[in-house]
Amino acid sequence: MRIHEFQEMMRRLYFHRDSKRGIEGTFARLKDEIEELGEALQEGDKSALEREFADVIAWLASLANITNVNLEKAAILKYDDKCPKCRRSPCECTS
Amino acid sequence: MRIHEFQEMMRRLYFHRDSKRGIEGTFARLKDEIEELGEALQEGDKSALEREFADVIAWLASLANITNVNLEKAAILKYDDKCPKCRRSPCECTS
């Protein structure tokens, strides 16, 4: 599935709810999901970990919807098969 | 671009670096990127905001690579055109 298609699915499912919740509230929920991902990384349950990754990309896409950002376009613009900092593939940055 | 293709691009660019950095260190960088996204949301510069969204999905995909998670599969498994909680489209959850 394309990044953009996933973002559009999130729009169908959640735009009404998250646009009402607002940018600040939706960003706060994304941060909560990041915390849950961090916990799942400690616990070692692969299915739970996969669900947390899914939640993070879902909230990220929904936040992109309510801020009028095309996540796929933004991702490809910055990451065009080269590292945006050193312009190499693979990246040769030292940090 | 498919979510999986983007994740594979991140593998080519960053797997060598992030697998050396480790899961904890890579997760810490993802959290830093979330903070930067939060700052960009306050500032109102659209291009900067797009770059921060790009960075978050990039670090998320790289973290998925070093934890052997297929981000596209995980996303589609949980979000199958219905809300995973209420099983409706659009979502009818109350919170």
Side-chain angles (χ1 to χ4, degrees), chain B residues 50-92:
Chain B
E50 287 169 340
R51 288 195 295 274
E52 295 305 333
F53 268 102
D55 285 341
V56 171
I57 195 172
W59 282 91
L60 184 69
S62 200
L63 182 64
N65 280 328
I66 66 170
T67 55
N68 292 313
V69 167
N70 181 318
L71 193 54
E72 179 171 325
K73 261 196 181 165
I76 296 173
L77 190 68
K78 180 150 188 184
Y79 294 90
D80 58 354
D81 240 333
K82 290 189 179 124
C83 171
K85 281 189 191 156
C86 67
R87 306 300 300 146
R88 307 285 176 121
S89 173
C91 163
E92 295 178 12

Side-chain angles (χ1 to χ4, degrees), chain A residues 1-75:
Chain A
M1 178 179 277
R2 284 182 55 188
I3 297 170
H4 188 64
E5 288 172 320
F6 185 73
Q7 182 172 352
E8 287 307 299
M9 190 209 299
M10 294 303 105
R11 185 187 302 279
R12 289 192 298 279
L13 292 177
Y14 299 120
F15 186 80
H16 64 298
R17 185 195 67 179
D18 290 340
S19 57
K20 207 185 288 176
R21 188 197 311 274
I23 294 172
E24 207 171 313
T26 302
F27 178 67
R29 289 295 301 268
L30 172 61
K31 288 217 287 191
D32 291 345
E33 293 301 335
I34 290 282
E35 289 307 315
E36 291 178 19
L37 175 61
E39 288 161 20
L41 286 168
Q42 306 281 341
E43 285 162 11
D45 174 338
K46 184 77 184 281
S47 299
L49 181 61
E50 287 169 341
R51 288 194 296 274
E52 295 306 332
F53 268 102
D55 285 341
V56 171
I57 195 172
W59 282 91
L60 184 69
S62 200
L63 182 65
N65 280 328
I66 66 171
T67 55
N68 293 312
V69 167
N70 182 318
L71 192 54
E72 179 171 326
K73 260 194 181 167

